[in-house]
């Protein structure tokens, strides 16, 4: 295998994905763990082979991004032409899903509210949140001030009662 550099886990397909595909493809067949590992290694090697060839095709066409067409050309040049019709079907499905996602993300545009109005509403919400935060901070500060005043009053009261108690002791000493 060409990719045995010590980081095999970084360069393989997740085993859970392979296990799921095996179960879906062969629901009534038990597959040994070493056979599953072999399938993972074969898939990884296949992807490496196709992506390397697609990368070479991409470089020859002076492009910087591998496109689906490069992958299809790589399949053809490596002798996997029989897969191309299925690959094109899957590619079309992927494009359809991507288009649906884009349409779902453009729901904001379909709200009928201009972007400026949405921005104004957002800024208004932020301003309300800042105002609430400021009010909360003010309340906390007032509570701290009241607690500090109560602590001072309690300390002064304790000090006064200590002084009153000691002057009373002095008065009793004078009586003796």
């Amino acid at each position: 295998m060409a990719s045995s550099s010590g980081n095999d886990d970084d360069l393989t397909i997740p085993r859970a994905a392979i296990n799921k595909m095996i179960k879906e493809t062969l629901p009534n067949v038990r597959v040994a763990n070493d056979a599953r590992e072999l399938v993972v290694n074969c898939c990884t090697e296949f992807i490496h082979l196709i992506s390397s060839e697609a990368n070479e095709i991409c470089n020859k066409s002076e492009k910087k991004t591998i496109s689906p067409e490069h992958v299809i050309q790589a399949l053809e040049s490596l002798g996997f032409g029989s897969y191309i019709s299925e690959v094109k079907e899957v590619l079309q499905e992927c494009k359809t899903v991507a288009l649906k996602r884009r349409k779902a993300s453009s729901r904001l545009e379909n709200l009928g509210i201009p972007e400026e109005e949405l921005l104004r509403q957002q800024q208004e919400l932020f301003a309300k949140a800042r105002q609430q935060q400021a009010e909360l901070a003010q309340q906390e500060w007032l509570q701290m001030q009241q607690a500090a005043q109560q602590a001072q009053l309690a300390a002064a009261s304790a000090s006064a009662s200590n002084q009153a108690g000691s002057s009373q002791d002095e008065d009793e000493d004078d009586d003796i």
Side-chain angles (χ1 to χ4, degrees):
M1 190 163 116
S3 62
S4 59
S5 64
N7 290 337
D8 287 341
D9 288 340
D10 294 340
L11 301 174
T12 62
I13 297 174
R15 282 158 180 71
I18 295 297
N19 289 337
K20 183 179 177 186
M21 284 188 261
I22 290 171
K23 277 189 175 182
E24 288 174 358
T25 306
L26 306 167
N28 300 323
V29 175
R30 289 182 50 174
V31 180
N33 285 336
D34 56 344
R36 290 176 190 269
E37 189 66 26
L38 181 60
V39 170
V40 168
N41 290 337
C42 289
C43 291
T44 301
E45 191 61 29
F46 179 75
I47 291 170
H48 186 303
L49 179 69
I50 298 298
S51 59
S52 295
E53 183 68 19
N55 187 46
E56 286 181 28
I57 293 170
C58 179
N59 288 335
K60 285 178 186 173
S61 62
E62 298 179 0
K63 302 286 182 182
K64 292 185 179 186
T65 304
I66 297 173
S67 70
E69 289 74 27
H70 297 135
V71 174
I72 291 169
Q73 288 176 14
L75 287 168
E76 183 69 39
S77 70
L78 291 171
F80 296 108
S82 61
Y83 294 150
I84 292 176
S85 62
E86 192 171 340
V87 166
K88 287 182 178 180
E89 288 175 20
V90 171
L91 177 61
Q92 189 56 45
E93 288 175 25
C94 289
K95 286 181 178 180
T96 303
V97 168
L99 183 62
K100 286 180 183 177
R101 283 187 186 150
R102 270 185 258 136
K103 284 183 181 178
S105 69
S106 68
R107 287 183 184 156
L108 271 177
E109 298 166 7
N110 296 336
L111 284 175
I113 301 173
E115 190 174 338
E116 296 80 20
E117 175 61 18
L118 289 172
L119 182 60
R120 187 196 63 74
Q121 289 176 4
Q122 181 184 36
Q123 289 172 340
E124 188 177 297
L125 289 171
F126 285 155
K128 283 182 185 178
R130 281 191 294 274
Q131 178 65 32
Q132 289 174 345
Q133 188 64 34
E135 289 172 2
L136 183 63
Q138 178 71 18
Q139 288 175 355
E140 288 176 359
W141 185 81
L142 288 174
Q143 288 173 350
M144 287 177 25
Q145 288 292 86
Q146 289 174 347
Q149 286 176 348
Q150 289 175 353
Q152 285 178 343
L153 287 175
S157 174
S159 174
S161 66
N162 282 343
Q163 286 179 353
S166 63
S167 68
Q168 200 175 35
D169 288 342
E170 289 175 7
D171 288 343
E172 288 175 5
D173 288 341
D174 289 344
D175 289 340
I176 300 182

